Amino acid sequence: MPQIPEKIHELTVGQLSARSGAAVSALHFYESKGLISSRRTSGNQRRYTRDTLRRVAFVRAAQRVGIPLATIRDALAELPEERTPTHEDWARLSEAWRSELDERIKQLNRLRDHLTDCIGCGCLSLDSCVLSNPDDAFGERMAGSRLMVERGRRRRG
């Protein structure tokens, strides 16, 4: 990983990409979504402060555990600008995500445990599908195959 001399306080997009491991296109995307920011030089080139390295690492770590970008952006907005997120910042922000991650883990465990049933079912029996219809919640409203028709109408409508 290329080292950046301490005397350099701003990074080009190429330097930020090389140091963070994120593609230049990803950095541009993060910036367009308000996750990171840059200033423009007189030649309209992006310049990022050094603390952006930690912000990119924060974004990528949060993405790896499935946190949506909008949630990550809201979390980063709570941090002061021009300051590297600290261990305490990460602990505080990640605590708020704990219940969401626990629910996602529960869903993934259900998927893993019932994957064979799902493949055998082919989702033709939504009344008994533990993944699409846990505890037959939709069975009280209508039969399973009609539910698929209803979902198709909502998407088109």
Side-chain angles (χ1 to χ4, degrees):
M1 193 175 302
Q3 294 297 312
I4 300 167
E6 285 294 321
K7 64 182 178 181
I8 297 177
H9 298 287
E10 290 187 319
L11 309 173
T12 65
V13 71
Q15 289 171 321
L16 182 60
S17 173
R19 187 76 174 104
S20 69
V24 169
S25 59
L27 297 172
H28 290 172
F29 179 74
Y30 292 165
E31 190 169 357
S32 74
K33 296 299 181 188
L35 298 165
I36 61 176
S37 60
S38 67
R39 75 168 186 87
R40 297 295 182 125
T41 66
S42 58
N44 202 32
Q45 296 176 331
R46 291 177 168 91
R47 292 294 185 266
Y48 299 92
T49 56
R50 287 181 71 92
D51 69 291
T52 306
L53 280 168
R54 284 276 175 96
R55 288 178 180 265
V56 170
F58 182 95
V59 169
R60 295 184 76 193
Q63 280 186 296
R64 273 194 295 279
V65 296
I67 303 299
L69 287 179
T71 304
I72 298 168
R73 182 186 59 240
D74 293 345
L76 286 171
E78 294 180 22
L79 301 176
E81 287 294 320
E82 306 299 319
R83 181 171 71 72
T84 301
T86 63
H87 175 72
E88 291 77 22
D89 292 330
W90 175 251
R92 180 176 45 81
L93 295 173
S94 63
E95 182 62 34
W97 299 336
R98 187 172 298 280
S99 64
E100 183 180 334
L101 291 172
D102 287 343
E103 181 58 32
R104 193 168 295 138
I105 290 167
K106 184 175 144 185
Q107 291 171 353
L108 287 169
N109 283 331
R110 184 181 298 147
L111 173 62
R112 180 201 61 214
D113 294 345
H114 296 284
L115 193 57
T116 303
D117 297 340
C118 183
I119 291 170
C121 149
C123 287
L124 297 176
S125 338
L126 285 177
D127 60 331
S128 63
C129 182
V130 296
L131 300 174
S132 297
N133 188 16
D135 303 318
D136 195 18
F138 295 120
E140 295 175 16
R141 288 193 356 221
M142 62 180 64
S145 61
R146 290 194 331 225
L147 182 61
M148 292 180 79
V149 172
E150 181 182 295
R151 284 183 181 163
R153 280 190 205 129
R154 268 190 259 140
R155 280 191 209 120
R156 284 178 288 208

